[in-house]
Amino acid sequence: MKPDAFDRLALGVRRFEIGLLSLVFLAVLGIGLAQIVLRNFGGGSLPWADPAMRAGVLWIAMLAGVLAADTGKHIRIDVLRLWLPDGLRPWVIRIMRLSAALVCITLTAASASLIQLEYSLNDLAFLGVPRWAVLMIIPLGFGLMSWRFLRRALLPGSSLDEERDR
C-alpha cells in the first residue's frame, strides 16, 4: 500500500524530531564534557553551561515523550485492558487515546499561557536566548503528543497500531 500525503508528513515530522533529539543530546553531551575538561584542567568553567544543559534536558525529555507517544512506548496503565473481551478492547483503546489527547491539549493550552507570561517578562535563559524560546518546546511537545494520540484514536488500523495494542 502506497503511503498517502498524511503518512509522508507524519514520517517527515518524525524524522525531524529524531534528528533534533540527536542534535540536542550531542550538544548537551559536548557542553558537559567541555565543563569537565575546563574544571579539571583549565581552572574555570563556562558560566552559561549549566542553564544551557538544563534547557537541553527539557528539550530531550519533551522530544522523547513525543516520540514515545508516536511509537506507543509511552507510560500507560494496561490493567483494565488485559481483562476486556476482544470485541470491546479496540473501543476502550480509542477512548484511552482520546483521553490522553484531551489531557495533552489541556497541557498545550496551559503551557502556551506560560510562554505568554515568559515573553512579557523578557527574561534571558543563557547567552542572550530568551527564556520563552527555551520553554517553547513544552507547548510544541504537548501539541505534537495530542496530534499523535488523536491520529491513533481516530485513524487506527495500521499493523503497527495493532501490534502495539497487544
Side-chain angles (χ1 to χ4, degrees), residues 47-157:
W48 52 267
D50 290 338
M53 288 174 47
R54 280 193 299 272
V57 168
L58 173 65
W59 277 68
I60 290 168
M62 290 304 297
L63 289 169
V66 169
L67 288 168
D70 186 42
T71 59
K73 305 238 188 260
H74 56 284
I75 297 172
R76 59 184 179 190
I77 301 171
D78 286 341
V79 175
L80 176 64
R81 194 167 60 171
L82 296 175
W83 292 300
L84 291 173
D86 289 340
L88 192 58
R89 188 174 297 147
W91 294 102
V92 172
I93 290 169
R94 278 186 167 184
I95 290 169
M96 290 185 326
R97 288 177 181 163
L98 285 172
S99 300
L102 288 174
V103 168
C104 288
I105 289 168
T106 303
L107 291 171
T108 301
S111 57
S113 298
L114 171 70
I115 298 301
Q116 289 174 336
L117 175 65
E118 287 292 338
Y119 185 81
S120 69
L121 294 175
N122 203 21
D123 197 14
L124 297 178
F126 60 92
L127 288 179
V129 176
R131 187 176 312 278
W132 67 265
V134 169
L135 297 176
M136 273 302 292
I137 190 61
I138 300 172
L140 288 173
F142 282 123
L144 284 168
M145 283 184 224
S146 60
W147 173 57
R148 299 270 166 73
F149 284 124
L150 276 174
R151 183 173 147 246
R152 291 184 66 216
L154 301 176
L155 302 171

Side-chain angles (χ1 to χ4, degrees), residues 32-54:
L33 288 173
Q35 280 289 83
I36 291 169
V37 169
L38 286 172
R39 285 182 180 161
N40 289 331
F41 302 111
S45 67
L46 302 169
W48 52 267
D50 290 338
M53 288 174 47
R54 280 193 299 272

